[in-house]
Amino acid sequence: MVKKGQNCTLYGESVPEIFRIPSGAPLIGSVSFGVIDRGTNVIQVRPSTSCSLSCIFCSTDAGPCSRRRRAEYLVDLDHMMEWVRGLVAVKGGGVEAHIDTVGDPFTYPRLVDLVSAISDLGGVETISLQTHGYLMSEGLISNLAEAGLDRVNLSLDSVDPDLAKKLSGAESYDLKKIVDNAQYLVENTSIDLLLAPVWVHPLNDDQLEGLIDLAKRLGAGRKWPPLGIQKCEFHKSGRRTKEMKQVSWYAFYRRMRELEKVSGVKMVLRPSDFGIRAAPSVAVPFGRGEKLSVRVIGPGWLKGESLAATKDLKWAVTVVGHELPVDEEVRVRLLRTRDNILIGILC
Ligand code: SF4
C-alpha cells in the first residue's frame, strides 16, 4: 500500500540495483524481461523493468515508490534482438511486436534502436508499445516514427490534472505536456494512437467520458480502435490504496457497453480488433509440478526471489521464496509454466 506522505524517493527501504542481464542468459521464461509468447501472433518484448512514475494502482509495484522491487533489469540490445528474431521465426509471419514492460518502455535507453531493429525483421507486421507517456517528447516520437513504430497505447487515466497527478503518484506528472505530445504524435507522424486508461474505481469513475472525448479530439484510432479502457486488477505484489475498489468483469463490461451507447465509440474490444490470432508457439518442455535443476544467474526482480536459468541456458526461471547467491545450483519444483513463464520453488 502507498501511504499518504510517504517519501517515495527512498524506494521503500532500499534502492533496487540495476542488473544487466548477462549475455548468454535465456530471455524467455521470465515475466519481467525478455520475450513472452502466449501462443498468438503477438510477442511481448520487455527490454527493461524501470519506471519513473509510481502509479498508486500499479500492478507491478514499479517506480520510486516501489517496496517490493529488488532489482531493475536491463537487456543489451543485441541480446534482446537475438531472442526477438528467434521468436518471430517461430511465429511464421504476421507478428505484432508489443513492447510492454513491467515498468515503462521509455526507460530503455535504446528504445529507438530496438524499434528500428525489429522493423528490419521480415515477418513483423506491427510494432506497438504501451506507456504512461511521462518520458515521451516530440523528438523521441519523431525518431520512433522514423524507426517504424506503428502504434502507441497511451495510458491517460484522468482529464483532471490534479487527479492525474494523484493517480500517477508523482508530483512532477504534467498532464498537459503528455496530451500535447499525444497531439504532436497524431498530427506529425504516421503512428496511431490508442488511449488506454486504467479504470481505477471509484477514483476516476467520472473521468471515463472525458477521456473518450479526448481520444476523439486527438484523432486517436486511425487504424486500430481509439480506446481500450483497462480494468484495474489487484495483484498480490501490486500497489493499491484503501479508496480503491475492485470492479467485477460483469460490472466492467456493463459500464463499457453503457459508454459505447452514449459515445458511439467501440468500447468492448476483441482480439480480432487488433488482428490477434492463434499462432505457432515455443513449446515449454516442462510441466507444472515437474522438478529440475537450475543455476542462479542474478537477483530476483522482487524481494525474496532469485533469477535462475536451466542448465542448457534455454529457459529463465524465477525462484520464489529465497534470495540465493549467484552460481548456486538448486533443485526447484515448477509452480507455473503457463504462457512460457516459469516460476519455481525450492524442493
Ligand atoms: S502503472 Fe505503469 S507507469 Fe504507472 S508505475 Fe506502474 S509501470 Fe509505471
Side-chain angles (χ1 to χ4, degrees):
M1 298 262 187
V2 181
K3 288 186 188 142
K4 206 177 164 198
Q6 174 187 359
N7 183 352
C8 291
T9 58
L10 293 179
Y11 257 106
E13 295 85 40
S14 56
V15 178
E17 67 172 289
I18 302 289
F19 182 74
R20 288 178 180 272
I21 299 296
S23 61
L27 297 191
I28 193 165
S30 169
V31 76
S32 58
F33 70 96
V35 290
I36 299 179
D37 172 9
R38 298 184 197 262
T40 71
N41 60 324
V42 177
I43 65 167
Q44 290 166 268
V45 180
R46 300 189 161 180
S48 63
T49 58
S50 302
C51 189
S52 306
L53 297 178
S54 292
C55 302
I56 59 174
F57 52 85
C58 182
S59 62
T60 61
D61 192 24
C65 280
S66 179
R67 301 198 142 216
R68 294 181 178 83
R69 296 268 175 122
R70 184 178 167 211
E72 299 292 4
Y73 296 151
L74 203 53
V75 184
D76 170 75
L77 178 64
D78 293 340
H79 191 190
M80 189 75 235
M81 282 310 299
E82 192 188 314
W83 286 75
V84 171
R85 201 174 294 116
L87 187 51
V88 168
V90 169
K91 297 290 167 186
V95 169
E96 173 170 344
H98 185 54
I99 309 170
D100 71 329
T101 68
V102 292
D104 193 288
F106 278 87
T107 60
Y108 188 53
R110 303 202 59 189
L111 182 62
V112 175
D113 295 329
L114 176 66
V115 170
S116 175
I118 295 174
S119 75
D120 285 344
L121 295 178
V124 175
E125 214 162 69
T126 303
I127 307 174
S128 57
L129 66 75
Q130 171 71 46
T131 180
H132 259 82
Y134 180 73
L135 298 175
M136 275 195 328
S137 65
E138 291 184 3
L140 262 176
I141 292 166
S142 297
N143 292 342
L144 285 166
E146 209 170 299
L149 186 66
D150 295 294
R151 191 181 72 243
V152 167
N153 296 359
L154 176 64
S155 288
L156 280 181
D157 311 312
S158 169
V159 288
D160 170 354
D162 292 331
L163 180 58
K165 203 176 278 242
K166 173 180 171 168
L167 292 170
S168 76
E171 262 308 305
S172 55
Y173 183 91
D174 182 350
L175 177 64
K176 182 175 179 315
K177 182 180 152 222
I178 295 171
V179 171
D180 286 350
N181 279 326
Q183 191 159 11
Y184 175 86
L185 178 148
V186 174
E187 288 175 0
N188 296 281
T189 75
S190 57
I191 301 173
D192 199 6
L193 177 70
L194 177 145
L195 285 199
V198 182
W199 177 16
V200 189
H201 174 65
L203 300 183
N204 62 353
D205 285 8
D206 61 355
Q207 298 294 304
L208 302 182
E209 294 188 18
L211 287 161
I212 296 171
D213 288 344
L214 178 63
K216 284 181 180 169
R217 212 165 58 238
L218 287 172
R222 285 185 291 214
K223 181 170 179 190
W224 290 280
L227 271 125
I229 295 184
Q230 306 177 71
K231 176 169 149 12
C232 181
E233 287 282 284
F234 292 176
H235 287 269
K236 197 168 60 157
S237 53
R239 270 197 297 269
R240 61 177 188 262
T241 66
K242 280 185 184 150
E243 306 161 274
M244 290 163 52
K245 303 279 177 261
Q246 180 108 289
V247 170
S248 68
W249 282 108
Y250 177 77
F252 176 80
Y253 282 115
R254 190 180 53 200
R255 182 75 181 120
M256 291 307 109
R257 280 192 292 270
E258 282 169 9
L259 289 169
E260 200 167 85
K261 248 190 213 160
V262 175
S263 67
V265 174
K266 187 172 172 62
M267 301 300 301
V268 179
L269 304 183
R270 299 202 160 67
S272 55
D273 294 320
F274 296 89
I276 301 174
R277 52 172 171 76
S281 176
V282 177
V284 194
F286 313 109
R288 193 161 167 258
E290 195 169 331
K291 294 177 182 171
L292 62 152
S293 296
V294 296
R295 189 171 64 81
V296 177
I297 58 169
W301 68 299
L302 299 180
K303 290 174 184 167
E305 297 184 354
S306 304
L307 175 62
T310 52
K311 284 183 163 177
D312 59 7
L313 291 178
K314 287 188 174 165
W315 292 90
V317 181
T318 300
V319 181
V320 295
H322 288 86
E323 295 185 0
L324 301 162
V326 170
D327 279 340
E328 183 151 322
E329 280 191 23
V330 290
R331 292 274 296 164
V332 296
R333 180 168 53 81
L334 292 175
L335 302 173
R336 174 185 173 153
T337 58
R338 186 167 42 90
D339 295 330
N340 289 310
I341 293 164
L342 303 184
I343 298 176
I345 190 165
L346 293 190
C347 59

